[in-house]
Amino acid sequence: MSSQDRALASMVALTPPDRWGKQCVAWVESRDAECGKDAKDGFLCARHATVAKNRWEKQQAKRQAQKQKRAQHRAEHMPDWLAERDRIDAELAKRTQPLTTDRAFSGGVGTGQHRKHLRRQFSDANVERVGALLQRRQTLEAMIGDHDE
């Protein structure tokens, strides 16, 4: 049996596929039992194959509508997300940049200016803010996705 036959049968069956036999596996609510007629179309009788196809088409239409709605939402918000990501990148650069790139400046005894910068950079408030910015940036990256600028 094909994967399409399994997919259609799963639209109307309650039992797991490993328990499907040669008879229709569709669940009949009024009898509270499986159909039991001879399967003619994959795992289903002709009647339940039609029911399953109708449910499948309805589900596909619903998925397509959701996909269009997501695409529209994404298109509407993309400029805002890109701008927010740029603001976050600028703030992260400001909060995490070293005072200087000269290694001799931070070696040895150091200076008061350097110690003050390190205390500020590694303060609880700054570390907390950098963490929040990184988390928000990760969320934005997930929403932006493969957007080509």
Side-chain angles (χ1 to χ4, degrees), residues 100-136:
T100 180
T101 56
D102 181 10
R103 294 184 63 180
F105 179 79
S106 61
V109 177
T111 65
Q113 184 183 12
H114 184 250
R115 285 191 299 273
K116 183 178 176 184
H117 176 76
L118 287 177
R119 278 195 307 269
R120 185 173 58 245
Q121 193 171 28
F122 293 107
S123 70
D124 290 344
N126 192 54
V127 170
E128 183 178 345
R129 178 66 180 155
V130 167
L133 288 170
L134 289 172
Q135 193 171 31
R136 178 61 182 160

Side-chain angles (χ1 to χ4, degrees), residues 1 14 34 37 39 43 64 69 84 86 89 101 122-123 146:
M1 302 290 169
L14 288 183
E34 285 186 350
K37 293 182 182 175
F43 296 98
Q64 186 64 26
K69 187 176 178 180
E84 184 179 358
D86 292 342
D89 286 344
T101 56
F122 293 107
S123 70
D146 296 338

